[in-house]
Amino acid sequence: MRAGVLVLVAAAGALVGAAITYSLVTPESRVRLPEPRIANDLGTDIEQARLTPSSAPEHADLYRAAAAADRNQLVRMIRAASARPAGAERTFALGLLLPRYAELDPRGAVEAAAELNTELRAPLYAIWANKDPTSALSALAEIKERSAARTIAAALVPALGGDDHALRVVAAAVPSGMESTVYADALTARAATAPASAFQQALALTDPSAREQALEGIAQQWAQLDPGAALAAIDQIDEPSQRQTFLTSVAKTWARLDPDAALGYLKSADMGAQTDLLMALGSQLAERRPREVLDLTRTSGPQSMLFRMMAIRALANEDVSLALREAEALPTGPDQREGAVNEFARAYGARDPDGALAWARASGDASRVTSVLQGIAQRDPTRAFDLAVALESPQQRMEAILWIAGAIHAEPEQLVEPLFAVTGRGGISFVAAEIAC
């Protein structure tokens, strides 16, 4: 019950915080540029350069104009591009013009782009590092925003040579506590071409956080190149949580990119051996190949029940009748038939709220109604709360509200308003007090 109180209090606090944050954030960022030292007449070819290209010829026009422009002309072009409405075309133009400007004045380009997103800024630091590594690293050390420092650091490592020395000097420049992230990102990048080598380097890291982050990224890269080799390497990881992180990352990537090959591997495996591997891969495939996973697990041991639950939920998005039949065919028990039916109900509620509600109400089973409301909440939290408030049984009403609040990951404003409407006697504070009882 106390978990419900925390959910409600957190939602209310986050809502206030969100409103304050919004008031402090400007809706648009502009490039900060100095006035050109020489007021040039840029001429038709540059002054009218197509800064909003939408085709290959227009892209080429902008490339030619940028290549021919001097520093002051680039300042004018960048200012014109920055003044346009936010969107893909503005991003394209700035992504082309700012690196060209950085070739002539790297410090000026970095300062000009200070208010832009980090993806546009990072290449400018890399260009700067090629010309003046010391100044670029000093500028990195001054960045306070950790997410920006991470992205820029990842761009600086290859710009400085991509070797271990580059990795060390960049890690030394980032804000304190970010060193492990720099190592993880760098080894993940290396894994795109040399996964086995990056994997061995990750195992040699002494910082557990850096090692785990690196292994997760390497697993994603390795699974794209050779998932079998990645799986074979798992036995070299001794620490259980790091092993699981690596395994889950391989499984997610392989199941997403080549579910048929991953399913073939699962079919050929011994369901009684390597349980952690089978659980990681089977849980991913259950969402993508639910019919095949159901067939595969019909005669398997108890460890396959999780696959079946997930497959039934996924199947409900394809064939409601078949999914329900599969759920109801399981042996009676909270961890089997009842659990599977409730998983089905959640998926059905998300897919077809009206149909799912009619089915759940006709069943006369309160738990099915609650599960359907949880599914509806995934798509429409306000409607789910409205339906929960309208339930006749006070106990079922409160249980449904608690289940919905705990099951969804919605923005705070989606939760607070319907919770205020639960009763007319104090809104969230009253509900929190009722839950605490």
Side-chain angles (χ1 to χ4, degrees):
M1 288 296 184
R2 296 191 179 278
V5 177
L6 296 177
V7 169
L8 300 178
V9 173
L15 177 59
V16 174
I20 295 173
T21 301
Y22 180 80
S23 69
L24 298 176
V25 177
T26 57
E28 182 178 1
S29 295
R30 295 292 184 91
V31 177
R32 299 186 300 180
L33 289 167
E35 289 298 323
R37 289 172 295 187
I38 301 174
N40 291 325
D41 179 4
L42 301 180
T44 301
D45 288 344
I46 297 178
E47 183 72 21
Q48 302 300 324
R50 295 185 175 113
L51 296 179
T52 56
S54 59
S55 67
E58 292 174 347
H59 287 191
D61 286 349
L62 186 56
Y63 277 111
R64 284 192 292 269
D70 62 22
R71 181 186 181 279
N72 294 319
Q73 291 168 338
L74 283 166
V75 166
R76 294 278 296 274
M77 295 171 71
I78 292 169
R79 185 179 294 112
S82 176
R84 298 196 62 83
E89 303 302 349
R90 176 178 183 265
T91 300
F92 173 86
L94 291 174
L96 173 62
L97 294 170
L98 283 168
R100 169 70 180 119
Y101 183 39
E103 293 174 0
L104 304 177
D105 181 4
R107 184 185 296 274
V110 165
E111 292 174 352
E115 295 180 8
L116 297 178
N117 66 60
T118 312
E119 287 68 26
L120 284 171
R121 292 160 56 198
L124 310 181
Y125 282 84
I127 294 171
W128 194 1
N130 283 324
K131 294 177 175 291
D132 184 355
T134 301
S135 296
L137 289 167
S138 296
L140 171 63
E142 295 175 0
I143 298 173
K144 304 302 181 185
E145 184 185 354
R146 297 174 76 86
S147 62
R150 177 178 184 175
T151 302
I152 292 167
L156 286 182
V157 172
L160 294 174
D163 55 12
D164 291 340
H165 173 71
L167 185 52
R168 286 194 298 272
V169 296
V170 172
V174 295
S176 177
M178 288 191 61
E179 298 85 356
S180 63
T181 300
V182 173
Y183 278 94
D185 289 345
L187 291 178
T188 297
R190 289 181 186 179
T193 55
S197 174
F199 178 75
Q200 294 302 323
Q201 289 177 293
L203 292 179
L205 293 174
T206 56
D207 182 341
S209 177
R211 190 186 313 119
E212 183 157 356
Q213 290 181 62
L215 287 173
E216 182 175 12
I218 291 166
Q220 294 174 2
Q221 298 282 10
W222 208 348
Q224 296 180 50
L225 301 173
D226 188 347
L231 291 175
I234 289 174
D235 289 339
Q236 300 180 50
I237 305 173
D238 295 327
E239 209 285 320
S241 67
Q242 293 173 6
R243 176 188 175 94
Q244 189 60 45
T245 295
F246 185 88
L247 175 57
T248 301
S249 186
V250 172
K252 283 184 177 180
T253 304
W254 194 13
R256 175 175 55 84
L257 296 178
D258 193 351
D260 292 328
L263 182 64
Y265 181 91
L266 189 61
K267 288 179 178 178
S268 67
D270 177 3
M271 295 294 282
Q274 295 183 290
T275 304
D276 54 350
L277 169 60
L278 296 172
M279 290 294 290
L281 194 55
S283 62
Q284 298 301 319
L285 287 170
E287 299 179 2
R288 293 170 173 81
R289 294 290 187 272
R291 298 170 190 269
E292 292 86 344
V293 169
L294 282 170
D295 289 339
L296 182 64
T297 58
R298 291 190 196 282
T299 58
S300 303
Q303 73 269 21
S304 67
M305 183 52 64
L306 175 62
F307 304 166
R308 303 188 74 176
M309 295 280 196
M310 297 180 69
I312 287 169
R313 180 178 177 85
L315 188 58
N317 293 317
E318 301 177 6
D319 189 329
V320 170
S321 298
L322 177 59
L324 182 57
R325 288 199 302 272
E326 291 285 352
E328 292 182 333
L330 294 174
T332 302
D335 296 329
Q336 297 194 54
R337 183 188 300 170
E338 287 78 359
V341 170
N342 285 330
E343 281 295 316
F344 162 82
R346 280 186 279 272
Y348 193 12
R351 178 178 184 242
D352 180 5
D354 293 330
L357 275 172
W359 163 78
R361 287 168 175 164
S363 73
D365 188 327
S367 67
R368 296 186 182 187
V369 174
T370 299
S371 295
V372 167
L373 292 180
Q374 285 181 275
I376 295 174
Q378 300 292 338
R379 299 287 183 87
D380 189 347
T382 300
R383 183 183 182 191
F385 276 107
D386 288 343
L387 290 166
V389 170
L391 293 173
E392 293 183 4
S393 166
Q395 180 178 354
Q396 186 185 4
R397 181 165 60 244
M398 188 56 68
E399 287 178 353
I401 290 169
L402 285 173
W403 273 107
I404 293 167
I408 65 176
H409 303 283
E411 293 298 323
E413 59 267 24
Q414 292 179 290
L415 298 176
V416 175
E417 181 178 350
L419 285 173
F420 267 113
V422 169
T423 74
R425 296 179 290 170
I428 290 179
S429 297
F430 176 78
V431 174
E434 288 292 302
I435 294 170
C437 294

